[in-house]
Amino acid sequence: QVQVEESGGGLVQAGGSLRLSCTASGRSSSTYIRGWFRQAPGKEREFVAAITRRGSTYYADSVRGRFTISGDNAWNTLFLQMNSLKPEDAAVYYCADAYSGGAYYSQESYSNWGQGTQVTVSS
């Protein structure tokens, strides 16, 4: 199974930007859809964004217009550009790979996850 690893998290002030990356090691991911989820302390993991191999994108209402998901041409690296960050965006962000069908916004539809990268937003 392809291993995926997130990077790019950190501490940023409200209104700032971060760019997260998710790299598939060994070989490019073969999944049709890849996504980003996040989990804040004491909360359930929630959908953030997803992208199909053809470039169709989907966003949670809470991030639409501020976040942009993209992938490189080789479908090896997944990105999440996060602008106008808010304190409520603070969470551990996870890359979701190995889509197996079902709703793209459901974590049960993915079977391969990275370890996560922490995003902290100061007010």
Side-chain angles (χ1 to χ4, degrees), residues 37-112:
F37 286 70
R38 67 186 182 187
Q39 187 168 19
K43 294 188 176 181
E44 297 287 321
R45 188 174 297 188
E46 64 176 6
F47 169 74
V48 175
I51 184 170
T52 72
R53 198 154 186 160
R54 293 185 177 183
S56 297
T57 56
Y58 307 92
Y59 297 95
D61 289 343
S62 60
V63 307
R64 186 176 291 111
R66 300 187 297 121
F67 290 11
T68 302
I69 188 171
S70 62
D72 66 357
N73 290 337
W75 198 233
N76 182 61
T77 304
L78 185 69
F79 303 101
L80 184 68
Q81 177 66 43
M82 306 186 296
N83 298 328
S84 302
L85 282 161
K86 304 175 181 180
E88 52 263 42
D89 294 318
V92 177
Y93 281 70
Y94 296 92
C95 176
D97 195 82
Y99 173 74
S100 56
Y104 61 83
Y105 49 81
S106 174
Q107 58 180 316
E108 285 74 27
S109 299
Y110 305 86
S111 60
N112 190 20

